[in-house]
Amino acid sequence: MERTLITDVITNVAPQTAVTIAGWIRTVRASKGGFSFLNVNDGSCMANLQVVADDKLDNYGTDIAHLTAGCSVVVTGTLVESPAKGQRVELHADRVQVLGLADADTYPIQPKRHTFEFLRTQAHLRVRTNTFGAVARVRSAISFAIHEFFQQRGFFYVNTPIITASDCEGAGEMFRVTTLDPAAPADHSQDFFGQPTFLTVSGQLEGETYACGLGNIYTFGPTFRAENSNTPRHLAEFWMIEPEMAFCDLTGDADLAEDFLKHIFAATLQRCPEDMAFFNERIDKTVLATLEHIIDTPFERITYTQAIELLAAADRKWDYPPHWGADLQTEHERFLTEQTFNRPVIITDYPAAIKPFYMRLSDDGKTVAAMDVLVPKIGEIIGGAQREERLDVLDSRMTAAGLDLDDYWWFRDLRRYGTAPHAGFGLGLERTIQFATGMANIRDVIPYPRTPRSAEF
Ligand code: ATP
Ligand code: MN
């Protein structure tokens, strides 16, 4: 089927051109003068194309007069300058072919406001709404910008395993992968892989092996955490981007994280102006100003110890009073990035005791070369570190963490053969999309969210 995308029709195609478009009806209005106005959306952009169908068309009474929201149509006609406000052109139909009707009594996406809670129950159809169409287009643009950022800088894209036998640091609870009969007692020697296996919580350990050979790499793949966090910022299945750089320290890592976020948001504003204007008007009136501010402003960089001092001195009540040695809570993270600095904040040098074994131990013996990047409203969007490249230090950290060194023999080999300083971080794709769009709930920025007690679709 030869069709022109509506995004091209409304921006590029000259009036008086003959075009064919295909899409789904959003609204229909019959006028007294013997016309129907069909607003058609094909997903290529937010805007609908207005189709004017004359009652002289031979299927007017049989088909066109019965069109309702959700029906699919193919329309051929002539593009003409539109007398109506807010649209450059409209399509005067010579032919309207109805492909599929949508029963008006049962079609869930009627042209009215639906709550996001309701639309989650209709996740297979919600992409046909303005909000979810825009989220999907922005998600695609952000994914492309991520690849573009790394490819422009000579990073190689690496695919790390989804099924894994190693528990990366205990980043979260893991989902088990097994072919054993759930009713029988577990005997992993009889299991598919002959040992317990899990869905990955991070590609980092394998990413490190490729960085220590290719130089600069990134992963971009699905990540699974069985943590029972029913929050607007946690999913059980999400997408993570993990760059890893050989011959790089914590400062280089923080520099990359800052450039990376700025690139993503600049690309989003540049490539999705129509969708971003929608989010700014309908979802969060501050989102455009926030993104522009972030692109233009250097990120603040402070140590964990400084952060604790600032929080302890702050004149407000905390659910979790801050003290040195405790992990930062979202209330602390948001206070620093929203109130104290009003810009993204990179916090470095966390206590070793609250961070995983692979982060590089500093000379003070108490802190590690970790960094978290915090942004307003979301809190942590990136977590990263310079890695421990000294085998003896790594081994003692692993032993202290109760890990079996033999399980990590290949990871330790990196420190045995040509060890080198290296650093990396993880960015959650969905938190990035939440931040870019202003969408409040992470369940609304992934097509089919997986959360505790919910895996429909
Ligand atoms: P949090 O403290 O918010 O649970 P984390 O410390 O577990 O995050 P990391 O293990 O450092 O996060 O993962 C790196 C990034 O992956 C985070 O900064 C965040 O953007 C994203 N992320 C982590 N867990 C989730 C999740 N359950 N759902 C969506 N994104 C997540
Ligand atoms: Mn977590």
Side-chain angles (χ1 to χ4, degrees), residues 116 120 131-132 134-135 138-139 142 232-233 265 268-269 275-291 334 375-378 381 429-445:
F116 291 154
R120 269 172 230 146
T131 302
F132 289 89
V135 167
V138 166
R139 186 179 170 108
I142 287 180
R233 306 177 306 119
F265 298 135
T268 306
L269 290 178
D275 293 324
M276 289 307 301
F278 172 85
F279 289 121
N280 199 61
E281 196 184 308
R282 304 291 284 274
I283 304 294
D284 174 354
K285 299 235 182 283
T286 65
V287 76
L288 287 180
T290 304
L291 294 184
R334 290 189 56 175
V375 293
K377 284 184 230 154
I378 308 277
I381 196 168
L429 177 65
E430 287 75 17
R431 290 205 192 156
T432 310
I433 299 166
Q434 271 190 284
F435 187 71
T437 59
M439 293 292 286
N441 197 311
I442 200 166
R443 292 168 178 80
D444 297 329
V445 299

Side-chain angles (χ1 to χ4, degrees), residues 140-196:
S140 171
I142 287 180
S143 298
F144 177 70
I146 287 166
H147 283 290
E148 173 185 67
F149 175 84
F150 289 119
Q151 297 286 333
Q152 281 173 350
R153 283 167 180 71
F155 285 61
F156 298 104
Y157 176 39
V158 171
N159 300 119
T160 50
I162 290 167
I163 299 174
T164 176
S166 64
D167 164 5
C168 179
E169 59 172 295
E173 295 295 304
M174 302 181 89
F175 290 101
R176 221 167 250 291
V177 176
T178 181
T179 52
L180 292 177
D181 174 0
D187 172 4
H188 287 289
S189 68
Q190 300 304 308
D191 204 347
F192 188 91
F193 296 106
Q195 60 175 317

